[in-house]
Amino acid sequence: MNRRTLIRALAALPFSGWLARVGAAAAPPALKFNELYGRVTVRGVEYSDKIKSLSGQTIQMTGYMAPPLKPRLDFFVLTREPMSTCPFCTTAADWPADIVLVIMPPGRELDPTTRGLNVTGRLEIGVKRDDETGFVSLVRLYADGVSNKA
């Protein structure tokens, strides 16, 4: 290494740390399935403090697509673990409480997959019934991006 190369490398060091911090700051916060609810009471599940603080923000979740009802998807159910039955094909008692409805942007659809997924999007909480499907959800993620889990 000559002197010029060394000087350039040393001059870039302060910026490399800054770039790493900028990149880290740009990543949305991650939300895990075990962080959705704080506790279960006689009135049902209560949202955790973490999910309440993230509501309305862009977040990232990792999970699996529940078996869908149709070949192209403008929405799907994200689950903690791979599921063998769809949410509409079983009783509510058999379906886990910790699921997230993922709604794709208008005009974007996905093919069904059994692979793990990373989903980034705006988090919304509260009971909501979809007029078109009749599906009632407690947690929704309005997707900006969906990719295969690495």
Side-chain angles (χ1 to χ4, degrees):
M1 177 183 297
N2 66 32
R3 190 170 66 176
R4 284 187 183 153
T5 306
L6 179 61
I7 290 170
R8 275 189 234 139
L10 290 174
L13 279 176
F15 295 107
S16 64
W18 176 77
L19 286 173
R21 287 191 300 276
V22 169
L31 181 65
K32 298 177 183 175
F33 282 93
N34 64 354
E35 298 171 323
L36 296 178
Y37 304 106
R39 63 186 188 141
V40 179
T41 68
V42 293
R43 299 183 73 177
V45 293
E46 291 182 1
Y47 295 110
S48 71
D49 290 338
K50 181 170 184 177
I51 197 172
K52 287 190 272 187
S53 73
L54 293 174
S55 183
Q57 296 182 37
T58 297
I59 64 145
Q60 180 180 335
M61 286 193 77
T62 300
Y64 295 88
M65 182 184 289
L69 289 176
K70 55 187 186 174
R72 297 286 295 166
L73 307 171
D74 54 356
F75 74 94
F76 64 94
V77 174
L78 190 70
T79 63
R80 175 191 309 247
E81 297 173 4
M83 302 292 295
S84 59
T85 58
C86 75
F88 306 104
C89 305
T90 185
T91 67
D94 295 336
W95 197 246
D98 60 349
I99 60 173
V100 176
L101 178 62
V102 178
I103 302 158
M104 297 299 293
R108 288 199 39 212
E109 294 181 332
L110 289 175
D111 290 322
T113 183
T114 57
R115 298 182 64 176
L117 298 172
N118 292 317
V119 181
T120 302
R122 182 178 53 83
L123 176 67
E124 181 181 272
I125 62 174
V127 177
K128 185 174 182 180
R129 182 182 179 274
D130 182 77
D131 292 333
E132 186 178 325
T133 64
F135 186 78
V136 177
S137 61
L138 297 176
V139 180
R140 288 160 304 286
L141 198 52
Y142 291 88
D144 295 325
V146 178
S147 61
N148 289 327
K149 186 171 141 182

